[in-house]
Amino acid sequence: MEKQLNKRRVAVMATDGFEQSEFKKPIKALKKEGILVDVISLKEGKIKGWKETKWGDKFKVDVIIDNAHSTDYDMLVLPGGVMNTDTLRTNESAVKFVSDFFEQGKPIAAICHAGSILIETGLLKGKKMTSYKSIKTDLINAGVNWVDEEVVVDDKLITSRSPKDLRVFCKKMIEEISQRIPVSLNE
């Protein structure tokens, strides 16, 4: 499987104020499987994480959102963090990027507050999801069947509640991208 997974490419979209554990652990899990990961953000240079109650580390941006194309990626990962998600959900290019993954039928993995970015797409009606409890009502108002579970998979949408669910979230994310490997080895 690893030989095939190393042909996969995943976009992780974030900006300043992302929850650092929800950014680092999924990237580590993907890279462990040999998957290429690009950090997509609103600006060039580095973005700064949020580590529980204070600013965290800085991480390199690979591609700015205005140069990112969903067709280049097999999956989208959205870490949470209130500042991160509030900024991304108000950026037209970021919302379009997320919408394109839905429209192309590609997996999206969103944890914690990242569900608020998904709301902006207008494409959640009828989806089963979970999230951090503070955006539960927002998701319900967007037409989501919200449940309080560690991880929820609805078609190609993977959601989790918080950093405490990262282990199972990362496992489901890897399972989902593994299912996207073509039967033919001659891609």
Side-chain angles (χ1 to χ4, degrees):
M1 184 185 303
E2 188 174 328
K3 279 190 172 192
Q4 294 173 353
L5 284 179
N6 68 15
K7 295 180 180 179
R8 302 291 117 204
R9 192 169 174 200
V10 172
V12 177
M13 188 171 66
T15 193
D16 291 327
F18 58 86
E19 182 59 46
Q20 190 162 309
S21 62
E22 296 170 358
F23 176 86
K24 282 180 71 176
K25 287 185 181 178
I27 289 174
K28 182 179 179 182
L30 290 162
K31 286 184 174 181
K32 183 179 177 189
E33 297 295 326
I35 298 166
L36 177 65
V37 177
D38 283 344
V39 174
I40 312 290
S41 193
L42 307 180
K43 63 180 185 173
E44 293 178 337
K46 294 189 175 189
I47 52 176
K48 193 186 305 185
W50 186 258
K51 208 168 180 179
E52 296 175 25
T53 59
K54 61 185 183 292
W55 286 107
D57 302 321
K58 291 183 179 181
F59 297 87
K60 180 184 173 290
V61 172
D62 298 305
V63 182
I64 60 169
I65 191 65
D66 292 330
N67 296 335
H69 304 283
S70 59
T71 53
D72 293 340
Y73 299 97
D74 299 294
M75 175 185 270
L76 174 62
V77 177
L78 299 169
V82 176
M83 289 178 276
N84 169 56
T85 57
D86 276 356
T87 301
L88 290 174
R89 75 185 293 183
T90 60
N91 181 285
E92 195 175 302
S93 297
V95 173
K96 169 100 174 71
F97 190 68
V98 176
S99 297
D100 289 347
F101 277 84
F102 274 118
E103 290 166 7
Q104 293 163 19
K106 293 181 178 179
I108 299 172
I111 188 167
C112 203
H113 287 86
S116 65
I117 303 164
L118 302 175
I119 291 169
E120 296 303 317
T121 68
L123 301 170
L124 294 183
K125 189 171 182 154
K127 296 280 188 192
K128 182 179 177 185
M129 293 176 61
T130 194
S131 68
Y132 193 71
K133 60 188 173 191
S134 67
I135 65 166
K136 171 185 174 181
T137 301
D138 298 330
L139 286 164
I140 291 169
N141 289 339
V144 167
N145 172 17
W146 191 91
V147 294
D148 185 12
E149 296 175 12
E150 279 184 315
V151 67
V152 174
V153 180
D154 183 338
D155 193 17
K156 293 173 182 67
L157 179 61
I158 305 150
T159 54
S160 280
R161 302 170 298 193
S162 71
K164 68 182 180 183
D165 300 327
L166 275 166
R167 185 189 58 75
V168 70
F169 176 74
C170 290
K171 181 179 179 209
K172 286 293 183 188
M173 186 180 67
I174 298 299
E175 285 174 11
E176 185 61 42
I177 198 166
S178 297
Q179 292 174 11
R180 293 189 47 80
I181 295 171
V183 175
S184 170
L185 297 178
N186 300 324
E187 283 190 81

